[in-house]
Amino acid sequence: MKTVAIIGIGLMGGSLGAALRRARPRWRVVGIGRKKKSLERARRAGLIDEAATDLAAGLRGADVVVVATPVSLIVPFVKKIRPHLGAKMLVMDVGSVKADIVRHCARLFSAKSGPAFVGAHPMTGSEKTGFEWARPDLYKNAACILTPVPGAPPAALIRARQFWRAAGSRVHEMSAAAHDQWLAAISHLPHLIAHALILSAAQKPGARQKVAALAAGSFRDATRVAGADPGQWNSILNMNSKNLREAARRFTQTMDKLMKQKFPISMLGRARALRAGLDR
Amino acid sequence: MKTVAIIGIGLMGGSLGAALRRARPRWRVVGIGRKKKSLERARRAGLIDEAATDLAAGLRGADVVVVATPVSLIVPFVKKIRPHLGAKMLVMDVGSVKADIVRHCARLFSAKSGPAFVGAHPMTGSEKTGFEWARPDLYKNAACILTPVPGAPPAALIRARQFWRAAGSRVHEMSAAAHDQWLAAISHLPHLIAHALILSAAQKPGARQKVAALAAGSFRDATRVAGADPGQWNSILNMNSKNLREAARRFTQTMDKLMKQKFPISMLGRARALRAGLDR
């Protein structure tokens, strides 16, 4: 039997609780948050077993602690909980950007003894926020990237892998730096594009109505994630802005090349083959 | 009772036949194509009532003629059928770019007498091609943009509206020039972005595997239309390249502005509100 404490019961934290309660009914899931009422509703919705508004009380007896707050609050929360952690606890986060977070958190932990920290990024979510949208299958078949620091205790990494597999995810491992480079290309850039695309299309007079009346699948698909939470994405994009700028530079260069070469069938065909590879 | 001749029984032409046969069972739908075997299969699949490989024979007795070929073949086909058209026939196309097509076709028709031409762009489709993917509801609730030339006979326009409404579409009207500007922003640019995004993400060594393993919803959504037919999109993008370049310029300016201003929550919030407007 294992006790899991989740700090922040929103879409990510609430879904994680629901996934673990379903897959590991003997585990105990403690939800930690500020608002007693919301936590109680989350408990009644079956997302957590117990609710705690006091950090120290909520962490007591935990084997695994997951910080599932908005990305800008992860480092502050890890600092805050550090004095309350037992020697065998494993702490993880769910942040979409890793280098900054891992750098700040890793120095709070020793590689040799005491509690361990492993950065984690479960690549799932939705443009919705709040535990009302939580669902037990949010983590199912999602990639979860672990970003251990060099010299991290292997036992902690093994536990981290087991934990995310219990939630239903496919576990990958890479350095925090590599994570942030890949994520810039495959997640943060598509988000930036979605925002820029809908903002630029709406510039012309009367555009809002026209776009709503005429927008076809390609536009709807490409702008869907512009519905994501502005505050959270302001944090994510800024925390990874160097890699994002580099990915954006490569992207606009490719766009310019396509235009200059008159959209050669060979390049369009290569893009099509690459896209087909994603559905395999 | 009305006879409709459709030239080109692929996804668009086949689905149009199926939609009309379902909505107007008393109409007669003649499918015109090169391959007798394919036409026969389309007939057995219920997409058309009759098959014709001879243009003149297929057009005989038609009230409405729809040229549903790939976009690069529309003008050649309209020129080819012009001598075979009866005085009361209405000719339309389904091309995704309109200014070029309408300019070339309109001069083959008189505004005062004889057959009439009305450019049409039913905004529907799929990244699949071929009549095997045809379905009777492809046109349902899709926007169909009519681009009549100045001075076009009002009766032809009324018939065109009735025709596309019979197929289930919402009819809009604008000039071919306005159509091409809007389409650059809400369809051709998202296609170009999809191609550039997946090509640029796959540049790094080992990228194909990584992208396939890690690509989340935002990347999959934004690149979906890169699966579209390379030959057809080479034509479409080139036929509308001036407007597309202008839309791409506005888009990259907005992307640069977002990066320079550090992704302000106000701009991300405005994008979110605009996106919500698409789902209303």
Side-chain angles (χ1 to χ4, degrees), chain A residues 123 186 203-204 214 219-221 223-224 226-227 234 238 250 259 262-263 272 275 278, chain B residues 123 181 186 203-204 214 219-221 223-224 226-227 234 238 245 250 262-263 272 275 278:
Chain A
M123 292 184 61
I186 62 180
Q203 273 172 9
K204 298 209 295 177
L214 302 179
F219 190 84
R220 290 177 189 275
D221 280 352
T223 57
R224 183 162 299 121
N234 170 268
N238 275 309
R250 280 198 307 271
M259 287 193 280
K262 303 200 169 187
F263 320 104
R272 185 196 216 184
R275 186 58 183 78
L278 295 192
Chain B
M123 291 184 62
Q181 280 175 24
I186 62 180
Q203 273 173 9
K204 297 211 291 176
L214 302 180
F219 190 84
R220 290 176 188 276
D221 281 352
T223 57
R224 184 161 298 121
N234 169 268
N238 275 309
R245 272 168 224 275
R250 279 198 307 270
K262 304 201 167 186
F263 320 105
R272 185 195 215 184
R275 186 59 184 77
L278 296 192

mmCIF file of all heavy atoms in Angstrom, chain A residues 123 186 203-204 214 219-221 223-224 226-227 234 238 250 259 262-263 272 275 278, chain B residues 123 181 186 203-204 214 219-221 223-224 226-227 234 238 245 250 262-263 272 275 278:
data_model
loop_
_atom_site.group_PDB
_atom_site.id
_atom_site.type_symbol
_atom_site.label_atom_id
_atom_site.label_comp_id
_atom_site.label_asym_id
_atom_site.label_seq_id
_atom_site.Cartn_x
_atom_site.Cartn_y
_atom_site.Cartn_z
ATOM 1 N N MET A 123 2.762 14.303 -20.770
ATOM 2 C CA MET A 123 2.343 15.098 -21.932
ATOM 3 C C MET A 123 0.874 14.869 -22.237
ATOM 4 O O MET A 123 0.504 14.224 -23.219
ATOM 5 C CB MET A 123 3.204 14.763 -23.122
ATOM 6 C CG MET A 123 4.624 15.251 -22.920
ATOM 7 S SD MET A 123 5.623 14.962 -24.377
ATOM 8 C CE MET A 123 4.744 15.947 -25.585
ATOM 9 N N ILE A 186 7.599 20.663 -30.606
ATOM 10 C CA ILE A 186 6.384 19.863 -30.794
ATOM 11 C C ILE A 186 5.215 20.288 -29.920
ATOM 12 O O ILE A 186 4.144 19.713 -30.024
ATOM 13 C CB ILE A 186 6.653 18.350 -30.578
ATOM 14 C CG1 ILE A 186 7.119 18.083 -29.159
ATOM 15 C CG2 ILE A 186 7.642 17.833 -31.594
ATOM 16 C CD1 ILE A 186 7.403 16.624 -28.891
ATOM 17 N N GLN A 203 -7.262 40.488 -37.744
ATOM 18 C CA GLN A 203 -6.853 41.890 -37.839
ATOM 19 C C GLN A 203 -7.729 42.705 -38.782
ATOM 20 O O GLN A 203 -8.026 43.864 -38.512
ATOM 21 C CB GLN A 203 -5.404 41.972 -38.337
ATOM 22 C CG GLN A 203 -4.354 41.896 -37.238
ATOM 23 C CD GLN A 203 -2.959 41.795 -37.823
ATOM 24 O OE1 GLN A 203 -2.777 41.952 -39.026
ATOM 25 N NE2 GLN A 203 -1.996 41.526 -36.973
ATOM 26 N N LYS A 204 -8.114 42.100 -39.897
ATOM 27 C CA LYS A 204 -8.855 42.866 -40.907
ATOM 28 C C LYS A 204 -10.237 43.268 -40.388
ATOM 29 O O LYS A 204 -10.833 42.547 -39.589
ATOM 30 C CB LYS A 204 -9.000 42.036 -42.182
ATOM 31 C CG LYS A 204 -7.645 41.687 -42.813
ATOM 32 C CD LYS A 204 -7.727 41.516 -44.326
ATOM 33 C CE LYS A 204 -8.558 40.360 -44.778
ATOM 34 N NZ LYS A 204 -8.660 40.297 -46.244
ATOM 35 N N LEU A 214 -16.662 31.186 -41.893
ATOM 36 C CA LEU A 214 -16.007 30.464 -42.980
ATOM 37 C C LEU A 214 -14.913 29.499 -42.541
ATOM 38 O O LEU A 214 -14.533 28.620 -43.308
ATOM 39 C CB LEU A 214 -15.391 31.468 -43.973
ATOM 40 C CG LEU A 214 -16.360 32.475 -44.600
ATOM 41 C CD1 LEU A 214 -15.616 33.399 -45.536
ATOM 42 C CD2 LEU A 214 -17.489 31.766 -45.341
ATOM 43 N N PHE A 219 -8.199 25.556 -40.233
ATOM 44 C CA PHE A 219 -8.051 26.702 -39.333
ATOM 45 C C PHE A 219 -8.485 26.338 -37.913
ATOM 46 O O PHE A 219 -7.833 26.698 -36.934
ATOM 47 C CB PHE A 219 -8.886 27.870 -39.863
ATOM 48 C CG PHE A 219 -8.630 29.173 -39.144
ATOM 49 C CD1 PHE A 219 -7.573 29.984 -39.512
ATOM 50 C CD2 PHE A 219 -9.455 29.580 -38.098
ATOM 51 C CE1 PHE A 219 -7.330 31.183 -38.853
ATOM 52 C CE2 PHE A 219 -9.222 30.776 -37.439
ATOM 53 C CZ PHE A 219 -8.157 31.580 -37.822
ATOM 54 N N ARG A 220 -9.590 25.621 -37.804
ATOM 55 C CA ARG A 220 -10.061 25.203 -36.474
ATOM 56 C C ARG A 220 -9.036 24.326 -35.783
ATOM 57 O O ARG A 220 -8.731 24.504 -34.612
ATOM 58 C CB ARG A 220 -11.398 24.460 -36.582
ATOM 59 C CG ARG A 220 -12.539 25.368 -36.964
ATOM 60 C CD ARG A 220 -13.862 24.643 -37.156
ATOM 61 N NE ARG A 220 -14.820 25.561 -37.717
ATOM 62 C CZ ARG A 220 -15.559 26.401 -37.008
ATOM 63 N NH1 ARG A 220 -15.477 26.394 -35.699
ATOM 64 N NH2 ARG A 220 -16.383 27.242 -37.595
ATOM 65 N N ASP A 221 -8.485 23.356 -36.517
ATOM 66 C CA ASP A 221 -7.478 22.461 -35.944
ATOM 67 C C ASP A 221 -6.246 23.241 -35.493
ATOM 68 O O ASP A 221 -5.739 23.041 -34.398
ATOM 69 C CB ASP A 221 -7.038 21.414 -36.977
ATOM 70 C CG ASP A 221 -8.034 20.264 -37.095
ATOM 71 O OD1 ASP A 221 -8.975 20.214 -36.278
ATOM 72 O OD2 ASP A 221 -7.869 19.444 -37.995
ATOM 73 N N THR A 223 -5.841 26.273 -34.660
ATOM 74 C CA THR A 223 -6.000 27.303 -33.628
ATOM 75 C C THR A 223 -6.616 26.744 -32.343
ATOM 76 O O THR A 223 -6.786 27.490 -31.379
ATOM 77 C CB THR A 223 -6.907 28.454 -34.124
ATOM 78 O OG1 THR A 223 -8.176 27.919 -34.518
ATOM 79 C CG2 THR A 223 -6.268 29.183 -35.295
ATOM 80 N N ARG A 224 -6.926 25.467 -32.296
ATOM 81 C CA ARG A 224 -7.639 24.904 -31.146
ATOM 82 C C ARG A 224 -6.958 25.253 -29.823
ATOM 83 O O ARG A 224 -7.600 25.708 -28.881
ATOM 84 C CB ARG A 224 -7.789 23.388 -31.289
ATOM 85 C CG ARG A 224 -8.604 22.762 -30.148
ATOM 86 C CD ARG A 224 -9.110 21.383 -30.509
ATOM 87 N NE ARG A 224 -9.992 21.471 -31.669
ATOM 88 C CZ ARG A 224 -9.794 20.843 -32.817
ATOM 89 N NH1 ARG A 224 -8.751 20.051 -32.964
ATOM 90 N NH2 ARG A 224 -10.629 20.996 -33.815
ATOM 91 N N ALA A 226 -5.243 27.649 -28.957
ATOM 92 C CA ALA A 226 -5.282 29.057 -28.542
ATOM 93 C C ALA A 226 -6.321 29.235 -27.436
ATOM 94 O O ALA A 226 -6.356 30.269 -26.770
ATOM 95 C CB ALA A 226 -5.608 29.967 -29.725
ATOM 96 N N GLY A 227 -7.165 28.235 -27.219
ATOM 97 C CA GLY A 227 -8.140 28.277 -26.131
ATOM 98 C C GLY A 227 -7.529 27.979 -24.767
ATOM 99 O O GLY A 227 -8.222 28.041 -23.751
ATOM 100 N N ASN A 234 1.530 31.974 -20.686
ATOM 101 C CA ASN A 234 2.512 33.056 -20.536
ATOM 102 C C ASN A 234 3.732 32.528 -19.789
ATOM 103 O O ASN A 234 4.879 32.770 -20.179
ATOM 104 C CB ASN A 234 1.862 34.233 -19.793
ATOM 105 C CG ASN A 234 2.875 35.280 -19.378
ATOM 106 O OD1 ASN A 234 3.406 35.225 -18.270
ATOM 107 N ND2 ASN A 234 3.189 36.197 -20.262
ATOM 108 N N ASN A 238 7.429 31.782 -21.693
ATOM 109 C CA ASN A 238 8.559 32.572 -21.198
ATOM 110 C C ASN A 238 9.653 31.698 -20.593
ATOM 111 O O ASN A 238 10.840 31.992 -20.752
ATOM 112 C CB ASN A 238 8.081 33.601 -20.173
ATOM 113 C CG ASN A 238 7.594 34.871 -20.856
ATOM 114 O OD1 ASN A 238 8.295 35.435 -21.696
ATOM 115 N ND2 ASN A 238 6.390 35.309 -20.517
ATOM 116 N N ARG A 250 13.589 28.212 -37.149
ATOM 117 C CA ARG A 250 13.640 27.111 -38.115
ATOM 118 C C ARG A 250 12.326 26.977 -38.880
ATOM 119 O O ARG A 250 12.304 26.723 -40.076
ATOM 120 C CB ARG A 250 13.926 25.778 -37.396
ATOM 121 C CG ARG A 250 15.382 25.554 -37.053
ATOM 122 C CD ARG A 250 15.648 24.062 -36.760
ATOM 123 N NE ARG A 250 14.740 23.526 -35.761
ATOM 124 C CZ ARG A 250 14.978 23.542 -34.452
ATOM 125 N NH1 ARG A 250 16.090 24.053 -33.980
ATOM 126 N NH2 ARG A 250 14.094 23.057 -33.604
ATOM 127 N N MET A 259 7.726 28.944 -49.764
ATOM 128 C CA MET A 259 7.171 30.012 -50.610
ATOM 129 C C MET A 259 8.119 30.343 -51.759
ATOM 130 O O MET A 259 7.698 30.479 -52.903
ATOM 131 C CB MET A 259 6.877 31.254 -49.767
ATOM 132 C CG MET A 259 5.640 31.071 -48.868
ATOM 133 S SD MET A 259 5.008 32.596 -48.111
ATOM 134 C CE MET A 259 6.142 32.791 -46.736
ATOM 135 N N LYS A 262 8.147 27.857 -54.521
ATOM 136 C CA LYS A 262 6.808 27.635 -55.096
ATOM 137 C C LYS A 262 6.187 26.311 -54.662
ATOM 138 O O LYS A 262 5.636 25.578 -55.487
ATOM 139 C CB LYS A 262 6.857 27.754 -56.614
ATOM 140 C CG LYS A 262 7.397 29.117 -57.039
ATOM 141 C CD LYS A 262 7.026 29.459 -58.448
ATOM 142 C CE LYS A 262 7.354 30.934 -58.704
ATOM 143 N NZ LYS A 262 6.896 31.403 -59.977
ATOM 144 N N PHE A 263 6.310 26.016 -53.370
ATOM 145 C CA PHE A 263 5.617 24.875 -52.783
ATOM 146 C C PHE A 263 5.877 23.589 -53.551
ATOM 147 O O PHE A 263 4.940 22.955 -54.052
ATOM 148 C CB PHE A 263 4.108 25.164 -52.718
ATOM 149 C CG PHE A 263 3.790 26.579 -52.330
ATOM 150 C CD1 PHE A 263 3.365 27.504 -53.280
ATOM 151 C CD2 PHE A 263 3.962 27.007 -51.029
ATOM 152 C CE1 PHE A 263 3.099 28.813 -52.921
ATOM 153 C CE2 PHE A 263 3.698 28.320 -50.664
ATOM 154 C CZ PHE A 263 3.262 29.222 -51.611
ATOM 155 N N ARG A 272 3.847 15.171 -46.025
ATOM 156 C CA ARG A 272 2.744 14.206 -45.934
ATOM 157 C C ARG A 272 3.223 12.875 -45.363
ATOM 158 O O ARG A 272 2.556 12.263 -44.523
ATOM 159 C CB ARG A 272 2.166 13.985 -47.337
ATOM 160 C CG ARG A 272 0.961 13.102 -47.352
ATOM 161 C CD ARG A 272 0.691 12.617 -48.765
ATOM 162 N NE ARG A 272 -0.744 12.525 -49.024
ATOM 163 C CZ ARG A 272 -1.259 12.055 -50.140
ATOM 164 N NH1 ARG A 272 -0.488 11.680 -51.129
ATOM 165 N NH2 ARG A 272 -2.557 11.978 -50.290
ATOM 166 N N ARG A 275 3.796 13.221 -41.705
ATOM 167 C CA ARG A 275 2.530 13.270 -40.967
ATOM 168 C C ARG A 275 1.911 11.886 -40.854
ATOM 169 O O ARG A 275 1.353 11.535 -39.802
ATOM 170 C CB ARG A 275 1.554 14.241 -41.643
ATOM 171 C CG ARG A 275 0.269 14.456 -40.851
ATOM 172 C CD ARG A 275 0.594 14.994 -39.465
ATOM 173 N NE ARG A 275 -0.558 15.164 -38.597
ATOM 174 C CZ ARG A 275 -1.183 14.183 -37.942
ATOM 175 N NH1 ARG A 275 -0.817 12.939 -38.104
ATOM 176 N NH2 ARG A 275 -2.196 14.462 -37.125
ATOM 177 N N LEU A 278 3.011 9.867 -37.928
ATOM 178 C CA LEU A 278 2.458 10.156 -36.599
ATOM 179 C C LEU A 278 1.255 9.284 -36.284
ATOM 180 O O LEU A 278 0.912 9.084 -35.123
ATOM 181 C CB LEU A 278 2.008 11.622 -36.504
ATOM 182 C CG LEU A 278 3.069 12.708 -36.597
ATOM 183 C CD1 LEU A 278 2.469 14.029 -36.189
ATOM 184 C CD2 LEU A 278 4.258 12.372 -35.740
ATOM 185 N N MET B 123 -16.720 24.752 -49.045
ATOM 186 C CA MET B 123 -15.577 24.641 -48.127
ATOM 187 C C MET B 123 -15.680 23.368 -47.296
ATOM 188 O O MET B 123 -15.987 23.405 -46.103
ATOM 189 C CB MET B 123 -15.510 25.862 -47.237
ATOM 190 C CG MET B 123 -15.134 27.092 -48.040
ATOM 191 S SD MET B 123 -14.950 28.507 -46.968
ATOM 192 C CE MET B 123 -13.602 27.968 -45.936
ATOM 193 N N GLN B 181 -8.543 36.317 -50.781
ATOM 194 C CA GLN B 181 -7.884 36.929 -49.620
ATOM 195 C C GLN B 181 -8.277 36.211 -48.328
ATOM 196 O O GLN B 181 -7.432 35.878 -47.509
ATOM 197 C CB GLN B 181 -8.260 38.405 -49.501
ATOM 198 C CG GLN B 181 -7.469 39.295 -50.436
ATOM 199 C CD GLN B 181 -7.954 40.735 -50.387
ATOM 200 O OE1 GLN B 181 -8.539 41.166 -49.399
ATOM 201 N NE2 GLN B 181 -7.717 41.470 -51.452
ATOM 202 N N ILE B 186 -7.545 31.811 -43.840
ATOM 203 C CA ILE B 186 -8.220 30.799 -43.018
ATOM 204 C C ILE B 186 -8.086 29.377 -43.550
ATOM 205 O O ILE B 186 -8.572 28.452 -42.930
ATOM 206 C CB ILE B 186 -9.725 31.125 -42.830
ATOM 207 C CG1 ILE B 186 -10.441 31.128 -44.169
ATOM 208 C CG2 ILE B 186 -9.894 32.434 -42.091
ATOM 209 C CD1 ILE B 186 -11.903 31.439 -44.045
ATOM 210 N N GLN B 203 13.782 18.171 -38.861
ATOM 211 C CA GLN B 203 15.135 18.466 -39.357
ATOM 212 C C GLN B 203 16.222 17.852 -38.493
ATOM 213 O O GLN B 203 17.234 17.373 -38.995
ATOM 214 C CB GLN B 203 15.349 19.983 -39.400
ATOM 215 C CG GLN B 203 14.893 20.633 -40.696
ATOM 216 C CD GLN B 203 14.980 22.143 -40.606
ATOM 217 O OE1 GLN B 203 15.530 22.678 -39.646
ATOM 218 N NE2 GLN B 203 14.430 22.825 -41.581
ATOM 219 N N LYS B 204 16.032 17.889 -37.170
ATOM 220 C CA LYS B 204 17.097 17.445 -36.269
ATOM 221 C C LYS B 204 17.335 15.937 -36.402
ATOM 222 O O LYS B 204 16.403 15.191 -36.703
ATOM 223 C CB LYS B 204 16.723 17.788 -34.822
ATOM 224 C CG LYS B 204 16.587 19.286 -34.589
ATOM 225 C CD LYS B 204 16.953 19.693 -33.171
ATOM 226 C CE LYS B 204 15.968 19.208 -32.139
ATOM 227 N NZ LYS B 204 16.413 19.543 -30.777
ATOM 228 N N LEU B 214 6.509 11.476 -29.172
ATOM 229 C CA LEU B 214 6.173 12.505 -28.188
ATOM 230 C C LEU B 214 5.092 13.487 -28.634
ATOM 231 O O LEU B 214 4.509 14.172 -27.793
ATOM 232 C CB LEU B 214 7.435 13.306 -27.832
ATOM 233 C CG LEU B 214 8.610 12.491 -27.270
ATOM 234 C CD1 LEU B 214 9.778 13.403 -26.959
ATOM 235 C CD2 LEU B 214 8.178 11.732 -26.015
ATOM 236 N N PHE B 219 0.512 19.468 -31.639
ATOM 237 C CA PHE B 219 1.297 19.219 -32.847
ATOM 238 C C PHE B 219 0.495 18.398 -33.860
ATOM 239 O O PHE B 219 0.504 18.684 -35.051
ATOM 240 C CB PHE B 219 2.589 18.489 -32.476
ATOM 241 C CG PHE B 219 3.579 18.387 -33.605
ATOM 242 C CD1 PHE B 219 4.451 19.435 -33.874
ATOM 243 C CD2 PHE B 219 3.639 17.251 -34.393
ATOM 244 C CE1 PHE B 219 5.363 19.346 -34.915
ATOM 245 C CE2 PHE B 219 4.551 17.159 -35.439
ATOM 246 C CZ PHE B 219 5.413 18.205 -35.691
ATOM 247 N N ARG B 220 -0.218 17.394 -33.367
ATOM 248 C CA ARG B 220 -1.029 16.568 -34.259
ATOM 249 C C ARG B 220 -2.117 17.413 -34.924
ATOM 250 O O ARG B 220 -2.340 17.323 -36.130
ATOM 251 C CB ARG B 220 -1.676 15.412 -33.493
ATOM 252 C CG ARG B 220 -0.673 14.371 -33.056
ATOM 253 C CD ARG B 220 -1.269 13.255 -32.206
ATOM 254 N NE ARG B 220 -0.198 12.433 -31.692
ATOM 255 C CZ ARG B 220 0.369 11.427 -32.366
ATOM 256 N NH1 ARG B 220 -0.091 11.082 -33.548
ATOM 257 N NH2 ARG B 220 1.381 10.754 -31.853
ATOM 258 N N ASP B 221 -2.789 18.245 -34.147
ATOM 259 C CA ASP B 221 -3.839 19.101 -34.703
ATOM 260 C C ASP B 221 -3.274 20.052 -35.759
ATOM 261 O O ASP B 221 -3.834 20.207 -36.842
ATOM 262 C CB ASP B 221 -4.485 19.942 -33.594
ATOM 263 C CG ASP B 221 -5.499 19.137 -32.794
ATOM 264 O OD1 ASP B 221 -5.805 17.995 -33.184
ATOM 265 O OD2 ASP B 221 -5.987 19.658 -31.768
ATOM 266 N N THR B 223 -0.682 19.888 -37.585
ATOM 267 C CA THR B 223 -0.060 19.311 -38.780
ATOM 268 C C THR B 223 -0.992 18.387 -39.551
ATOM 269 O O THR B 223 -0.601 17.851 -40.578
ATOM 270 C CB THR B 223 1.210 18.509 -38.409
ATOM 271 O OG1 THR B 223 0.856 17.487 -37.465
ATOM 272 C CG2 THR B 223 2.275 19.408 -37.813
ATOM 273 N N ARG B 224 -2.226 18.197 -39.073
ATOM 274 C CA ARG B 224 -3.118 17.207 -39.688
ATOM 275 C C ARG B 224 -3.223 17.397 -41.202
ATOM 276 O O ARG B 224 -3.095 16.451 -41.966
ATOM 277 C CB ARG B 224 -4.508 17.260 -39.048
ATOM 278 C CG ARG B 224 -5.456 16.167 -39.599
ATOM 279 C CD ARG B 224 -6.620 15.940 -38.657
ATOM 280 N NE ARG B 224 -6.147 15.472 -37.368
ATOM 281 C CZ ARG B 224 -6.351 16.085 -36.203
ATOM 282 N NH1 ARG B 224 -7.056 17.202 -36.164
ATOM 283 N NH2 ARG B 224 -5.861 15.587 -35.093
ATOM 284 N N ALA B 226 -1.266 18.518 -43.292
ATOM 285 C CA ALA B 226 -0.076 18.210 -44.093
ATOM 286 C C ALA B 226 -0.247 16.864 -44.793
ATOM 287 O O ALA B 226 0.505 16.527 -45.700
ATOM 288 C CB ALA B 226 1.184 18.191 -43.227
ATOM 289 N N GLY B 227 -1.256 16.097 -44.392
ATOM 290 C CA GLY B 227 -1.564 14.832 -45.052
ATOM 291 C C GLY B 227 -2.296 14.996 -46.373
ATOM 292 O O GLY B 227 -2.555 14.021 -47.067
ATOM 293 N N ASN B 234 -0.002 21.912 -54.238
ATOM 294 C CA ASN B 234 0.957 22.689 -55.019
ATOM 295 C C ASN B 234 0.198 23.663 -55.928
ATOM 296 O O ASN B 234 0.535 24.853 -56.023
ATOM 297 C CB ASN B 234 1.839 21.732 -55.837
ATOM 298 C CG ASN B 234 2.681 22.468 -56.865
ATOM 299 O OD1 ASN B 234 2.253 22.619 -58.012
ATOM 300 N ND2 ASN B 234 3.840 22.948 -56.468
ATOM 301 N N ASN B 238 0.059 27.804 -55.202
ATOM 302 C CA ASN B 238 0.629 28.644 -56.252
ATOM 303 C C ASN B 238 -0.406 29.578 -56.881
ATOM 304 O O ASN B 238 -0.093 30.713 -57.213
ATOM 305 C CB ASN B 238 1.283 27.776 -57.335
ATOM 306 C CG ASN B 238 2.711 27.416 -56.963
ATOM 307 O OD1 ASN B 238 3.510 28.298 -56.614
ATOM 308 N ND2 ASN B 238 3.041 26.143 -57.010
ATOM 309 N N ARG B 245 1.249 34.954 -49.413
ATOM 310 C CA ARG B 245 2.448 35.641 -48.910
ATOM 311 C C ARG B 245 2.060 36.775 -47.965
ATOM 312 O O ARG B 245 2.710 37.009 -46.944
ATOM 313 C CB ARG B 245 3.253 36.223 -50.088
ATOM 314 C CG ARG B 245 4.245 35.262 -50.686
ATOM 315 C CD ARG B 245 4.795 35.785 -52.012
ATOM 316 N NE ARG B 245 4.816 34.715 -52.992
ATOM 317 C CZ ARG B 245 5.810 33.831 -53.120
ATOM 318 N NH1 ARG B 245 6.862 33.923 -52.340
ATOM 319 N NH2 ARG B 245 5.748 32.871 -54.010
ATOM 320 N N ARG B 250 1.647 38.817 -42.339
ATOM 321 C CA ARG B 250 0.907 39.281 -41.151
ATOM 322 C C ARG B 250 1.067 38.283 -39.995
ATOM 323 O O ARG B 250 1.209 38.669 -38.843
ATOM 324 C CB ARG B 250 -0.589 39.432 -41.470
ATOM 325 C CG ARG B 250 -0.944 40.725 -42.168
ATOM 326 C CD ARG B 250 -2.448 41.021 -42.056
ATOM 327 N NE ARG B 250 -3.271 39.902 -42.498
ATOM 328 C CZ ARG B 250 -3.683 39.730 -43.750
ATOM 329 N NH1 ARG B 250 -3.370 40.602 -44.674
ATOM 330 N NH2 ARG B 250 -4.418 38.695 -44.066
ATOM 331 N N LYS B 262 7.113 39.187 -24.982
ATOM 332 C CA LYS B 262 7.113 38.130 -23.962
ATOM 333 C C LYS B 262 5.730 37.528 -23.732
ATOM 334 O O LYS B 262 5.305 37.350 -22.584
ATOM 335 C CB LYS B 262 7.716 38.641 -22.652
ATOM 336 C CG LYS B 262 9.129 39.193 -22.872
ATOM 337 C CD LYS B 262 9.923 39.223 -21.608
ATOM 338 C CE LYS B 262 11.395 39.475 -21.926
ATOM 339 N NZ LYS B 262 12.251 39.387 -20.790
ATOM 340 N N PHE B 263 5.033 37.268 -24.815
ATOM 341 C CA PHE B 263 3.770 36.530 -24.756
ATOM 342 C C PHE B 263 2.793 37.146 -23.752
ATOM 343 O O PHE B 263 2.368 36.471 -22.796
ATOM 344 C CB PHE B 263 4.045 35.060 -24.398
ATOM 345 C CG PHE B 263 5.271 34.511 -25.082
ATOM 346 C CD1 PHE B 263 6.457 34.321 -24.382
ATOM 347 C CD2 PHE B 263 5.240 34.219 -26.436
ATOM 348 C CE1 PHE B 263 7.590 33.832 -25.020
ATOM 349 C CE2 PHE B 263 6.375 33.725 -27.083
ATOM 350 C CZ PHE B 263 7.545 33.533 -26.364
ATOM 351 N N ARG B 272 -7.587 33.647 -27.152
ATOM 352 C CA ARG B 272 -8.503 32.675 -26.557
ATOM 353 C C ARG B 272 -9.964 33.057 -26.800
ATOM 354 O O ARG B 272 -10.788 32.210 -27.144
ATOM 355 C CB ARG B 272 -8.241 32.605 -25.051
ATOM 356 C CG ARG B 272 -9.057 31.553 -24.363
ATOM 357 C CD ARG B 272 -9.036 31.767 -22.867
ATOM 358 N NE ARG B 272 -9.042 30.500 -22.149
ATOM 359 C CZ ARG B 272 -9.109 30.393 -20.843
ATOM 360 N NH1 ARG B 272 -9.136 31.473 -20.083
ATOM 361 N NH2 ARG B 272 -9.133 29.217 -20.270
ATOM 362 N N ARG B 275 -10.849 32.412 -30.369
ATOM 363 C CA ARG B 275 -11.024 30.980 -30.627
ATOM 364 C C ARG B 275 -12.368 30.484 -30.098
ATOM 365 O O ARG B 275 -13.027 29.661 -30.751
ATOM 366 C CB ARG B 275 -9.867 30.183 -29.998
ATOM 367 C CG ARG B 275 -9.900 28.697 -30.341
ATOM 368 C CD ARG B 275 -9.842 28.501 -31.840
ATOM 369 N NE ARG B 275 -9.963 27.125 -32.305
ATOM 370 C CZ ARG B 275 -11.082 26.419 -32.384
ATOM 371 N NH1 ARG B 275 -12.222 26.952 -31.967
ATOM 372 N NH2 ARG B 275 -11.079 25.201 -32.851
ATOM 373 N N LEU B 278 -15.236 30.794 -32.424
ATOM 374 C CA LEU B 278 -15.391 29.821 -33.521
ATOM 375 C C LEU B 278 -16.303 28.665 -33.134
ATOM 376 O O LEU B 278 -16.861 27.994 -33.991
ATOM 377 C CB LEU B 278 -14.035 29.235 -33.919
ATOM 378 C CG LEU B 278 -12.991 30.159 -34.508
ATOM 379 C CD1 LEU B 278 -11.862 29.349 -35.090
ATOM 380 C CD2 LEU B 278 -13.592 31.061 -35.561
#
